[in-house]
Amino acid sequence: MIKVNNLSKKYGSFTALHSINLEIGNGEFIAVLGPSGCGKTTLLKLLAGFMGPTEGTIAMDGTVLASTKRVLPPEKRNIGMVFQSFALWPHMTVGEHVKFPLSYHPNKIKEGKRELQNRIDDVLKLVGLNALAERYPSELSGGQKQRVALARAIAPLPNLLLMDEPLSALDVELRMEMRKEIQKLHRETKASIVFVTHDQGEALAIADKIVVMNQGRIEQIAPPEILYTRPETEFVATFVGKCNLVQGQWQNGRFVPAIDPKNVWPDLGVANTFKESGIYPVRPEQFLLMPAESDGLQGIVSFVQYQGHEIHYTIEVGEETWTIHESVFASRFNIGDFVSISLKAPTIHWEET
Amino acid sequence: MTVKQPMVEERKKRDSSFSLFFQNKNLYKVIGLLAVFAFFLLPVLRLVWLSFVDDGSLTLQYYTEVLREPATWKTVQNTLIIVAGSTILALVLGVLFSWIVAYVQLSGKRTMQLFIFLPFIIPSYITTLAWTQFFSASGPVTAVLSFLPGSLEAPNLYSIGGIILLLGISHYPLVYLFTVNVFRKIPRELEEAAATSGLSKKRAFRKVVLPLALPGIASGGLIAFLSNLDNFGIPAFLGTPANIRVLSTYIYEQVVGFGPSAFSRAAVLSVILGIIALLGTVLQWFLLRRSRVNETNRSDSTPRIYLSAGKQKLLEASLWIFLLVTSLMPLITMGALSLISAYGVPFNLENLSLRNYEYVFLTDSKPISALTNSLQLAFFTMLVCLVLGTAMAYLRFKYPDWSTKAAELFMTIPFALPGTVFALCMIFMWLEPVPGWNPGIYGTVWILFIAYATRFLVLQVRGSYTAFLQIDPSMEEAARTSGAAGWVKWRRILLPLLFPGILSGALLVFLMALTELTVSSLLWSSGSETIGVVIFGYEQAGYSTYSTAFSTVLVLGILLSGGLFMLLGKLWDRKVLKNK
């Protein structure tokens, strides 16, 4: 179990992290999600031990790894790390990459040569590289390099596996494949994983729990589905769910949009912070588009983008601009069309009661 | 008991050397900076101080004395003419070559680059020697001219023009080095944007390419300017026989003249030389005031201008002729003329002999002892610079704050100073490191060693720093998260990756120290002669045939070690780094 307590990091007058508190359970897979410059890489470097905190502590299983007084260097921590650029050593073969931490890591193999070789073979088999043990990095494809980086990180069975945007250097299809690979490794090694990413799709797909960060602060910590359907801050609502923030008033647990008070929307699990500020976060796919004569808010289509599986509409509603995603099987609209907008299915059900 | 145990553990961890380092970081910083200051900046300050002091009291006496003499002004005038002329020549040649190599489709660019760098790795006094042979009465130029109608004579190299020519040819590789990548980094889209905006190729060159290349051209120009100002070998070999003095040779004459006020007068002249160097730096800053360098652009080596086959051949041919004539021919001439038995006799079979070599390496004992001295000095200088310079580069890379930047700046000063000035600084500093205490360093080989190490350290710092910049920081981070620290991290990961970059820095230091002349000419003492000093001595005594024989052996040695180094680099790349 890793406990991050009140952790701050300042670079001169710039504060990269503002008193972060975080707990990572044994075997938990946590994704740290945020835009560039949100402090997620700083958090990762502090967890790894490449630098020390300005305030606060990091503890692993009860022992303090880092405080303002003392920082345990990375080589003495029970961790493994996968880097964005793979960070493979050009002068070592695949086998040597796996052997390296097995010889120097705090969890190194202390038994004989045979145990060492067995462990190398096991790890290579696990990532599907047993046939390539003699190859050098320059002779590997992008996906294979990624597997070597993973193999090196998991070989000594570290308590904590840190991953710094490990998939961002791969192309889209390979990324999807490697997501599964990482999930498989997580299942088999049972290490705690902290996976840093700016790709919300990746975070939602892969993690048990997501930590959303913005400007050096944690915005929300929640499992993927809760995070997506019940965002607690404006940032989470727009960054993760691409929500439209509809202005209006909350009255007796119902929402009245400011643009057209004739409409009333039910509460589908909106966080209190939004109720206090008079906002209803609506995800693009939560809206239903109908021809203008139907009930609902009236708007006009300003952009139409065909996406294959969906159509993305941009709609001007009063002073606001909303993004709405509709299925390709729904009725289509063109630029300039007047449309009627309402919340999807549950709306009707709730209004009847 | 059970409670006490973790407390002891806790205290032990807190007292580890690691945390101690962090607590005393500022202390180490101050100690390090003071040491760097003492070795690199203090000597210069003591030189300036000495120019104002006479018998312990402040005075402007030496300044008024030196500035009142017409010889001083004649020397300053010569210096300015020669430096201006040779800088312009180096700039024109350097920019022309770098533009052609960066822009135009040519075959054999790699070999061409090697030839461009040839005058750079061969010490300029040997180049000068080779050229004087090239233009001498028994050289090929006179032979060719005698076939032509009219009574044409080979130009006299012992003149201001000759000095300018040789300085220009020796230093244009520096300009080339600074500008070729600047040209390659100009995004080709910018030129295409200029073309689609209706600019002709010529106007696009003037309005787009030139302004973007200006920072590189200006820094190349500055380096050429400082090198021309600093150069001692060429004006000493060509100017002294013709009574043409520049500041660097004039300072030398003052010091070896051993007058009662020789050192003080030399200090004053050094300050004047320093001021001229400073003015050049200010001029460069003024030129670059408004330009912004975009370092993130990628270097693009594919040619942008394609010539018709015929024109391309013609251009290649003329470039090759220039390169061969300026770099290889003089050396070959020197090699050939070193075989003739006496100076001035015609070059034919009867006059060929190995007598000069016999004298240099068997009869006279000085060349062999100089060779041993220089090799030892160069080797130990390289070793010290290798360790200290790489350590400094690592600190500079790892902690890029004001203290490491200041330390690097201090280390640059001895290299940026004109050699004669720097040699004086060394004398003043190490004659009495602490006033009143003479440890007897001056007058032994130790002063040469200290001077070389101080002067060339920055080359290793830069070389190693570049090597550090080229490896991704995550390489080291990956080693640490894999549990490797300290020596293991260096041995297994960093050194194999850094080796080629560090080695090229070390080789440069070795070559520079091996063939150094300017500083050695003022610091040598009997028994500690260096290669440069011996060749200079032969030349001053008029034994040109001996100096050419010795130089020929040196050139062969340098070319051989250069070739060996390139081969080693390639092998390392293929065998260790597995680059295909």
Side-chain angles (χ1 to χ4, degrees):
Chain A
M1 167 120 126
I2 287 123
K3 247 190 173 156
V4 173
N5 191 15
N6 229 358
L7 197 68
S8 293
K9 180 69 189 177
K10 284 181 186 163
Y11 299 109
S13 61
F14 173 72
T15 309
L17 283 183
H18 296 269
S19 347
I20 297 286
N21 287 296
L22 182 65
E23 277 188 19
I24 304 163
N26 284 336
E28 208 171 14
F29 195 146
I30 288 191
V32 179
L33 175 66
S36 58
C38 71
K40 57 188 194 296
T41 305
T42 306
L43 176 61
L44 201 71
K45 286 194 165 172
L46 285 166
L47 284 171
F50 293 130
M51 52 193 187
T54 316
E55 263 171 59
T57 55
I58 302 171
M60 185 191 269
D61 300 328
T63 41
V64 177
L65 295 183
S67 66
T68 45
K69 294 242 170 60
R70 207 177 70 84
V71 179
L72 194 68
E75 57 269 19
K76 296 202 176 127
R77 296 185 183 193
N78 191 352
I79 56 169
M81 185 156 175
V82 180
F83 296 85
Q84 187 171 7
S85 53
F86 311 140
L88 299 187
W89 303 307
H91 58 299
M92 288 193 197
T93 62
V94 171
E96 285 168 340
H97 272 90
V98 179
K99 189 179 168 192
F100 192 87
L102 290 175
S103 317
Y104 301 114
H105 194 269
N107 287 358
K108 67 186 167 200
I109 303 271
K110 291 177 190 101
E111 296 87 6
K113 270 191 176 167
R114 174 166 303 190
E115 280 77 4
L116 182 66
Q117 194 53 49
N118 286 345
R119 178 71 190 138
I120 295 172
D121 293 342
D122 288 349
V123 174
L124 288 178
K125 218 169 277 167
L126 190 64
V127 294
L129 286 175
N130 33 347
L132 304 177
E134 300 302 314
R135 295 265 187 101
Y136 285 93
S138 60
E139 302 164 320
L140 299 176
S141 70
Q144 289 166 339
K145 284 182 190 167
Q146 181 63 76
R147 285 164 200 269
V148 179
L150 283 169
R152 176 176 64 187
I154 61 164
L157 293 172
N159 268 357
L160 175 64
L161 203 50
L162 302 168
M163 300 193 178
D164 186 10
E165 309 213 11
L167 303 182
S168 61
L170 302 175
D171 58 48
V172 183
E173 282 192 23
L174 208 51
R175 222 179 284 171
M176 299 295 168
E177 195 191 316
M178 289 310 294
R179 280 185 194 176
K180 281 188 219 151
E181 198 71 24
I182 290 174
Q183 282 180 308
K184 188 183 109 192
L185 288 179
H186 177 231
R187 270 205 307 268
E188 302 203 2
T189 61
K190 300 182 183 70
S192 312
I193 296 183
V194 174
F195 182 103
V196 160
T197 179
H198 65 267
D199 180 339
Q200 44 117 358
E202 211 164 272
L204 291 171
I206 211 167
D208 300 331
K209 212 159 87 178
I210 298 177
V211 178
V212 182
M213 290 189 62
N214 183 35
Q215 296 185 341
R217 289 188 170 84
I218 290 182
E219 294 266 338
Q220 189 174 350
I221 305 176
E225 197 164 347
I226 304 283
L227 191 81
Y228 190 71
T229 53
R230 306 213 172 146
E232 279 172 7
T233 66
E234 284 188 24
F235 179 79
V236 176
T238 50
F239 188 74
V240 181
K242 308 290 170 218
C243 283
N244 299 289
L245 299 177
V246 180
Q247 305 284 334
Q249 277 188 318
W250 283 91
Q251 290 168 349
N252 308 321
R254 292 180 169 211
F255 183 75
V256 182
I259 295 158
D260 187 353
K262 287 200 294 288
N263 292 274
V264 176
W265 292 348
D267 178 2
L268 298 176
V270 174
N272 280 331
T273 45
F274 291 114
K275 291 183 178 164
E276 278 156 23
S277 52
I279 285 171
Y280 200 122
V282 190
R283 294 189 306 280
E285 69 276 10
Q286 254 183 314
F287 277 125
L288 181 67
L289 275 188
M290 302 282 275
E293 52 269 23
S294 324
D295 284 345
L297 292 158
Q298 301 300 306
I300 182 167
V301 178
S302 59
F303 287 97
V304 181
Q305 292 179 333
Y306 176 71
Q307 295 281 308
H309 64 302
E310 280 181 334
I311 313 266
H312 292 179
Y313 294 100
T314 306
I315 316 270
E316 307 288 336
V317 186
E319 295 289 293
E320 293 179 32
T321 304
W322 295 351
T323 305
I324 297 178
H325 298 175
E326 275 287 7
S327 159
V328 282
F329 303 110
S331 44
R332 305 285 186 92
F333 301 94
N334 294 316
I335 294 172
D337 283 358
F338 287 92
V339 287
S340 161
I341 305 155
S342 51
L343 280 193
K344 262 182 189 159
T347 322
I348 306 150
H349 178 76
W350 278 67
E351 270 186 345
E352 278 171 353
T353 56
Chain B
M1 275 308 277
T2 40
V3 188
K4 247 183 177 172
Q5 199 60 31
M7 275 181 67
V8 174
E9 280 257 331
E10 187 65 31
R11 189 174 308 146
K12 219 170 83 186
K13 277 179 189 166
R14 205 173 291 160
D15 286 346
S16 74
S17 61
F18 197 75
S19 59
L20 247 152
F21 175 75
F22 273 106
Q23 279 161 18
N24 295 336
K25 215 167 156 184
N26 279 325
L27 184 71
Y28 285 126
K29 226 185 243 182
V30 170
I31 291 175
L33 267 180
L34 275 179
V36 169
F37 173 83
F39 273 91
F40 296 88
L41 194 59
L42 192 60
V44 185
L45 298 180
R46 285 180 75 165
L47 171 92
V48 176
W49 173 246
L50 202 87
S51 72
F52 288 107
V53 173
D54 182 40
D55 278 340
S57 59
L58 275 178
T59 174
L60 283 175
Q61 179 205 331
Y62 295 114
Y63 278 89
T64 44
E65 184 188 313
V66 169
L67 290 179
R68 220 179 265 153
E69 291 166 1
T72 308
W73 293 107
K74 181 70 190 157
T75 308
V76 169
Q77 190 195 340
N78 280 343
T79 307
L80 289 178
I81 292 171
I82 285 171
V83 166
S86 52
T87 304
I88 289 168
L89 184 63
L91 267 175
V92 169
L93 286 175
V95 172
L96 193 70
F97 263 97
S98 62
W99 183 79
I100 290 174
V101 169
Y103 268 59
V104 185
Q105 151 84 11
L106 291 175
S107 49
K109 276 184 187 174
R110 276 174 164 265
T111 345
M112 215 175 258
Q113 285 220 79
L114 283 183
F115 274 89
I116 294 173
F117 287 134
L118 202 59
F120 188 57
I121 62 163
I122 304 234
S124 60
Y125 59 91
I126 290 187
T127 315
T128 312
L129 209 58
W131 276 77
T132 56
Q133 301 302 310
F134 194 43
F135 278 7
S136 72
S138 32
V141 174
T142 315
V144 169
L145 288 179
S146 66
F147 278 115
L148 297 177
S151 57
L152 290 168
E153 266 182 46
N156 177 18
L157 279 183
Y158 298 91
S159 65
I160 287 191
I163 298 176
I164 289 178
L165 177 73
L166 272 158
L167 283 172
I169 282 177
S170 298
H171 294 141
Y172 85 90
L174 283 172
V175 180
Y176 174 86
L177 199 69
F178 271 77
T179 46
V180 70
N181 274 319
V182 173
F183 277 124
R184 282 184 183 149
K185 276 189 176 172
I186 294 174
R188 127 196 343 244
E189 293 80 20
L190 293 186
E191 287 166 76
E192 286 162 0
T196 53
S197 307
L199 269 74
S200 69
K201 276 240 156 86
K202 269 184 196 153
R203 284 191 65 189
F205 180 81
R206 230 180 48 227
K207 296 262 177 194
V208 177
V209 177
L210 217 52
L212 286 171
L214 192 66
I217 296 176
S219 18
L222 178 70
I223 294 296
F225 168 82
L226 291 176
S227 310
N228 289 329
L229 194 63
D230 156 73
N231 194 289
F232 170 75
I234 294 171
F237 277 47
L238 296 180
T240 314
N243 246 345
I244 300 166
R245 283 187 192 82
V246 294
L247 277 168
S248 59
T249 51
Y250 196 47
I251 294 170
Y252 170 79
E253 282 173 20
Q254 298 294 325
V255 176
V256 296
F258 279 121
S261 55
F263 279 169
S264 299
R265 286 172 53 90
V268 170
L269 288 167
S270 297
V271 171
I272 296 175
L273 188 51
I275 288 171
I276 295 178
L278 209 62
L279 286 179
T281 316
V282 170
L283 185 73
Q284 186 227 17
W285 173 82
F286 188 74
L287 272 173
L288 293 185
R289 207 170 24 133
R290 283 188 306 164
S291 61
R292 294 275 172 274
V293 189
N294 190 351
E295 281 297 340
T296 53
N297 289 336
R298 271 191 57 243
S299 158
D300 177 357
S301 333
T302 43
R304 310 181 188 199
I305 294 175
Y306 291 87
L307 298 173
S308 64
K311 275 188 179 168
Q312 190 188 324
K313 282 268 169 318
L314 192 72
L315 182 64
E316 279 167 13
S318 39
L319 290 178
W320 274 115
I321 288 173
F322 176 83
L323 285 175
L324 291 178
V325 167
T326 56
S327 61
L328 207 54
M329 289 290 283
L331 294 177
I332 291 173
T333 313
M334 180 175 76
L337 291 190
S338 71
L339 295 171
I340 60 171
S341 48
Y343 188 75
V345 298
F347 186 78
N348 54 35
L349 266 179
E350 297 148 41
N351 292 331
L352 291 190
S353 79
L354 286 172
R355 250 182 49 198
N356 297 322
Y357 288 88
E358 192 191 324
Y359 177 81
V360 167
F361 292 105
L362 296 176
T363 315
D364 195 353
S365 62
K366 269 191 203 151
I368 292 291
S369 84
L371 208 57
T372 340
N373 281 342
S374 281
L375 280 171
Q376 280 175 349
L377 275 168
F379 181 74
F380 286 109
T381 305
M382 180 185 81
L383 217 59
V384 164
C385 289
L386 193 64
V387 174
L388 292 181
T390 306
M392 175 65 212
Y394 184 68
L395 288 177
R396 171 91 179 77
F397 174 72
K398 205 73 192 176
Y399 311 101
D401 64 353
W402 63 270
S403 61
T404 50
K405 271 182 202 157
E408 198 198 333
L409 190 72
F410 287 168
M411 289 179 184
T412 315
I413 290 170
F415 188 68
L417 275 184
T420 33
V421 177
F422 174 71
L424 269 183
C425 295
M426 287 291 107
I427 295 175
F428 295 151
M429 181 72 196
W430 297 104
L431 193 61
E432 286 185 357
V434 180
W437 175 57
N438 183 351
I441 292 173
Y442 180 53
T444 65
V445 74
W446 285 102
I447 184 119
L448 280 169
F449 172 66
I450 294 173
Y452 286 178
T454 333
R455 186 154 163 92
F456 299 132
L457 182 64
V458 72
L459 292 176
Q460 185 68 56
V461 175
R462 289 282 164 83
S464 299
Y465 184 61
T466 315
F468 278 116
L469 284 184
Q470 276 164 354
I471 57 169
D472 197 294
S474 65
M475 291 281 153
E476 187 191 349
E477 291 174 353
R480 297 189 69 187
T481 54
S482 299
W487 177 232
V488 171
K489 178 183 77 185
W490 280 92
R491 185 172 55 85
R492 297 287 315 270
I493 307 294
L494 293 180
L495 286 178
L497 297 175
L498 292 167
F499 185 72
I502 291 181
L503 191 69
S504 61
L507 186 85
L508 193 60
V509 170
F510 183 81
L511 273 183
M512 296 288 259
L514 186 71
T515 59
E516 213 289 329
L517 170 65
T518 321
V519 175
S520 328
S521 68
L522 285 174
L523 298 183
W524 73 278
S525 50
S526 171
S528 72
E529 288 95 343
T530 64
I531 291 174
V533 169
V534 166
I535 293 180
F536 186 47
Y538 279 147
E539 202 55 23
Q540 277 193 321
Y543 298 130
S544 274
T545 45
Y546 297 152
S547 50
T548 51
F550 197 17
S551 299
T552 304
V553 172
L554 269 179
V555 168
L556 288 176
I558 291 172
L559 292 184
L560 210 68
S561 59
L564 212 65
F565 167 73
M566 285 200 333
L567 204 71
L568 198 68
K570 272 212 179 116
L571 271 178
W572 185 272
D573 232 31
R574 202 155 348 124
K575 283 267 155 76
V576 181
L577 298 185
K578 302 294 164 190
N579 284 336
K580 292 260 156 78

